[in-house]
Amino acid sequence: MTNSLGIDKDPKDTRVVVAMSGGVDSSVTAALLHEEGYDVIGITLQLFDYGNAVARPGTCCAGQDIYDARRVADSLGFPHYVLDYEDRFREDVMGDFADTYLAGATPIPCVRCNQTVKFRDLIQRAKELEAEVLETGHYVQRIDGAKKAELHRGAMDLKDQSYFLFATTQEQLDYLRFPLGGMSKDETRIEAERLGLAVADKPDSQDICFVPDGDYAAVVRKMRPDAVEPGDIVDQEGTVLGPHDGIINYTIGQRRGLNIGGGDPLYVLKLEPASNRVVVGPKEALLQEHVTISGVNWLGDEPLGAEVLEVTVKLRSMTPLLPATVCGVGEGAEVTLHSAYAGIAPGQACVFYQGDRMLGGGWIER
């Protein structure tokens, strides 16, 4: 007998660990499994200080969210555990966030979080608990392909989270399940109401969980107080146009907040941490066709080699899919866009697709 997870066991004999953030998505994931009769264990990761996080709305994996996850588990009658991963999160995610900004790049902490504490560490713990799979509430689809498990975009484009999961390895994908990938958020909330979950109307988490009020620079200053230094804003010829109080306050493509007077609109073209300069220029100077990628994770059926592949790519989580080609170069890749695109930022991810299938991705280099 093959159950709904593709495992030859009765659901009651199939242990499943669910990563429960305290939000509606992971709560519905756990509740649906419990309704099917699976042996469900909920795990919530405490990622930053409970006391400081209790009153903050729109977070995940802290204070109120831990309480909400436990409340769902208790109401349905399955075990729930809280694991203190604060030290790992501070080192692997928050530390990387600060160092990436100081290096003149724009980090994506949600990718680092999935790559480290949420998948690497939590999968290990799930296996120690003798679970057959780890389930999450991400809006992506895991499909059994002709050769192996494949990762596809979520059915609803606005909720698709595949960009943030590009670093998922094949071994991890074999162990993971994403039951909400074919649903819309409205459908998830309807299910939460049907299942009687107290979090059915809970708002979605917003922005980065450890960045209060979206003030990224304040977090970097707090973590690396001696590393933020003032410098010059210069044009492409090196002429000084004005001062800045730290390159952490700028990102590629930024126009507002430069405070360098009138004239034609200027955009941030480049950040130079060695000289502590912010280079600005006209919008057309942002256009690029060629992108160098490092740290590539590849999920395609065949290895990524020198042969040029036709793909579409995402260069930021909210940008459209762009037609391009990709080929492997050493441990990295070279991407050539069919049309030049503005605002490609080092530190962001470039994620590769063929149709709805996500083939992997890597980090955009300078």
Side-chain angles (χ1 to χ4, degrees), residues 104-358:
T106 306
I108 319 175
C110 294
V111 171
R112 292 296 189 194
C113 187
N114 290 327
Q115 188 178 21
T116 55
V117 294
K118 283 190 177 175
F119 284 175
R120 180 195 67 196
D121 297 343
L122 192 49
I123 284 177
Q124 179 181 344
R125 185 55 61 94
K127 289 181 177 179
E128 291 171 356
L129 291 169
E130 299 181 344
E132 301 283 352
V133 299
L134 172 68
E135 291 222 7
T136 81
H138 287 100
Y139 287 89
V140 295
Q141 299 184 83
R142 180 192 180 278
I143 295 174
D144 290 323
K147 295 188 176 182
K148 56 186 178 181
E150 301 173 0
L151 192 59
H152 288 239
R153 289 165 48 80
M156 302 297 125
D157 186 62
L158 290 177
K159 287 300 294 181
D160 169 53
Q161 294 175 304
S162 59
Y163 180 87
F164 297 102
L165 298 183
F166 84 82
T168 304
T169 67
Q170 188 65 49
E171 181 181 5
Q172 291 170 341
L173 184 57
D174 292 340
Y175 192 70
L176 288 161
R177 300 292 189 277
F178 309 102
L180 304 188
M183 298 169 62
S184 70
K185 187 66 180 222
D186 288 342
E187 290 170 330
T188 300
R189 291 198 184 278
I190 290 170
E191 283 293 278
E193 291 176 359
R194 179 185 69 81
L195 293 160
L197 303 183
V199 296
D201 296 325
K202 185 174 180 178
D204 290 346
S205 58
Q206 300 294 325
D207 215 341
I208 298 170
C209 61
F210 59 89
V211 182
D213 304 319
D215 191 349
Y216 308 147
V219 174
V220 178
R221 289 191 189 95
K222 184 175 180 180
M223 296 195 67
R224 303 287 189 268
D226 298 327
V228 181
E229 298 180 352
D232 294 323
I233 299 175
V234 303
D235 63 17
Q236 292 171 278
E237 286 71 45
T239 303
V240 176
L241 303 179
H244 69 76
D245 58 0
I247 62 172
I248 62 170
N249 297 292
Y250 303 89
T251 189
I252 304 300
Q254 178 178 335
R255 175 186 172 187
R256 298 184 183 277
L258 300 181
N259 298 318
I260 50 176
D264 295 332
L266 295 174
Y267 297 78
V268 175
L269 305 180
K270 184 166 56 173
L271 301 174
E272 298 181 341
S275 60
N276 212 24
R277 299 196 309 176
V278 175
V279 181
V280 298
K283 187 172 184 178
E284 55 267 25
L286 284 168
L287 293 170
Q288 287 180 254
E289 292 181 358
H290 303 286
V291 190
T292 299
I293 311 299
S294 66
V296 170
N297 179 62
W298 184 252
L299 295 173
D301 290 338
E302 304 298 332
L304 178 63
E307 181 181 353
V308 173
L309 294 179
E310 287 287 340
V311 294
T312 55
V313 298
K314 260 186 177 288
L315 299 169
R316 287 183 186 248
S317 62
M318 300 304 292
T319 59
L321 289 165
L322 303 173
T325 60
V326 62
C327 62
V329 179
E331 297 298 316
E334 291 291 335
V335 170
T336 301
L337 303 172
H338 288 193
S339 299
Y341 192 79
I344 301 172
Q348 293 285 288
C350 177
V351 181
F352 320 127
Y353 298 86
Q354 282 186 333
D356 284 333
R357 184 179 179 184
M358 197 269 278

